[in-house]
Amino acid sequence: MQKLTRITRNPEIMGGKPCIRGMGVTVGTIVSLMASGHSLNDIFKAYLYLEEADIYEVLAYAAWRVEEIEVPLISA
C-alpha cells in the first residue's frame, strides 16, 4: 500500500472516520457519491476545495480497505 498523505483520521473530526485532509468530508461520502452515479465534476462542484488527487487517494484507500482481512483474536 502506498503511503497515504491525504486521508486522515482524527477523533475530533467526523468521529474519527477517515477524511480527506482533515476536513469534514469522509472517504465514505465520496465513495457513496461515485457509486450512486455522480461524476467527478458533480463532486468538485459540491466540494470546491477538493482536488483530483484527493479523489484518487480516496479510491486507493477504499480499495485497500476492502482487501483487508479481519482475523479473530484467540483468547489465552
Side-chain angles (χ1 to χ4, degrees):
M1 174 79 206
Q2 68 190 26
K3 184 175 187 219
L4 301 175
T5 59
R6 293 172 174 266
I7 305 300
T8 59
R9 294 182 75 165
N10 180 337
E12 302 295 320
I13 300 171
M14 300 302 287
K17 291 181 181 180
C19 292
I20 299 171
R21 294 186 281 128
M23 298 182 279
V25 181
T26 66
V27 167
T29 297
I30 300 303
V31 171
S32 294
L33 288 169
M34 295 182 79
S36 63
H38 291 277
S39 69
L40 290 179
N41 283 336
D42 293 338
I43 294 169
F44 291 136
K45 284 178 188 173
Y47 301 96
L48 300 174
Y49 43 86
L50 292 183
E51 300 170 0
E52 188 174 359
D54 295 327
I55 303 300
Y56 286 119
E57 193 155 306
V58 160
L59 295 175
Y61 179 82
W64 172 69
R65 286 299 308 235
V66 298
E67 292 299 323
E68 253 186 9
I69 299 172
E70 291 190 27
V71 179
L73 298 175
I74 299 173
S75 298

